[in-house]
Amino acid sequence: MDTVFFDELTERFGYWSMFLFSWLLFFGLPLPNELAASFSGMITVQQSYNPFIAFISTYLGLISSASAAYGIGRLFGSKIENKIRRSRFASRWEKSIEFLSRYGSWAIAFSFFIPGVRWGMPYAVGISKHPFWKFCLFAFPAAFVWTMIYFQIGRAFPLVYPDILNNLRYIIPILAIALVAAGIILQRRKGKQKQRTANNLKRRG
C-alpha cells in the first residue's frame, strides 16, 4: 500500500487533507478508505497534528461523502443506476443491492465494514427512497465506529499499520456479516415471542 499520495496531500492541505481522504472512495480512486483513515491516525503520532481535529476531519469527510452519494442516488434514481451498471463498479453495485435487500436498514450500518459494498450502499439507499433521517440513523454511528477503529490502528501501529490492514481486510467483513445475521435472528425471535404473547392474550380474552 503506497502512502505517497497521502503524504503529498497532507503537506499541502494539512487537516483539510484528512477530510479529503474520505472522499477518495466517492470519486472512485483505487485507494482503500481503511488506509486513508489509518494514515490520518498515524500522522498525528509522527507529526504535530491534533488527534481530535484529525479524527473529526476524517469522520466528517466520510459522512459527507456518504450523504452526497445518497443525495445523488435520491435525485437521479434510475439514471445514476444505469450509469453505475455500465461502469467498472457494476460488481460493487450488485453486492450493495443484494446486501440491502437481504438485511434491510441494518445493511446501511454494516456496509461501512465491508469493502465494495461500502461504496455502492449510499447510492442504493438513495435510489430506493429510504428517508434521509433513517439513512443518518444507521450510517452516522457506524461511520463513527469505523473511523475510530482504523484511526486508532494508525495511531497504535504507525510503522506497520499497512500490514495490519492487509490482515484485517477479510476478518472485519466476516465479523460484520456475522453481527448482522445475529441481529436479524434476535429480532425475528423477539417478533415471534411478541406474536405468541399477543395470540395467548387473545385466547384468554
Side-chain angles (χ1 to χ4, degrees):
M1 293 182 180
D2 190 3
T3 61
V4 174
F5 179 75
F6 297 130
D7 285 319
E8 292 176 353
L9 264 180
T10 305
E11 288 180 8
R12 181 171 297 185
F13 299 109
Y15 290 112
W16 277 106
S17 66
M18 300 170 195
F19 180 90
L20 293 173
F21 292 162
S22 299
W23 278 79
L24 297 176
L25 186 70
F26 178 80
F27 291 113
L29 294 179
L31 294 167
N33 281 98
E34 292 86 353
L35 178 62
S38 297
F39 182 87
S40 295
M42 180 276 293
I43 208 73
T44 64
V45 175
Q46 295 194 346
Q47 298 185 29
S48 57
Y49 287 97
N50 184 293
F52 178 77
I53 299 175
F55 173 80
I56 293 299
S57 299
T58 304
Y59 172 66
L60 290 178
L62 182 63
I63 61 174
S64 63
S65 172
S67 298
Y70 169 91
I72 290 173
R74 180 100 184 187
L75 288 173
F76 297 101
S78 58
K79 292 182 180 179
I80 191 69
E81 182 177 7
N82 291 334
K83 287 185 177 180
I84 294 174
R85 289 186 183 278
R86 292 195 300 267
S87 72
R88 60 190 176 91
F89 302 110
S91 61
R92 297 184 184 182
W93 174 256
E94 294 298 336
K95 289 179 182 177
S96 301
I97 293 295
E98 181 182 353
F99 202 63
L100 182 61
S101 62
R102 179 176 296 182
Y103 299 113
S105 297
W106 283 103
I108 301 171
F110 286 98
S111 66
F112 281 91
F113 301 89
I114 304 176
V117 175
R118 183 193 313 132
W119 178 86
M121 185 58 66
Y123 293 102
V125 176
I127 289 171
S128 62
K129 304 298 184 183
H130 272 59
F132 184 64
W133 69 265
K134 183 176 288 189
F135 172 76
C136 295
L137 178 65
F138 286 91
F140 287 13
F144 185 91
V145 173
W146 181 92
T147 306
M148 179 64 72
I149 290 172
Y150 287 101
F151 187 85
Q152 290 300 332
I153 287 174
R155 282 182 55 80
F157 309 99
L159 299 179
V160 295
Y161 73 91
D163 296 327
I164 293 174
L165 296 184
N166 275 331
N167 294 325
L168 287 177
R169 63 180 177 173
Y170 298 111
I171 297 173
I172 289 183
I174 291 172
L175 290 175
I177 292 174
L179 287 172
V180 171
I184 290 174
I185 290 171
L186 288 174
Q187 280 188 331
R188 287 178 177 175
R189 286 182 178 177
K190 288 181 180 179
K192 288 180 179 179
Q193 287 178 350
K194 288 181 179 179
Q195 186 64 39
R196 288 173 184 171
T197 303
N199 291 336
N200 291 333
L201 290 173
K202 286 180 180 179
R203 290 171 182 173
R204 292 175 183 176

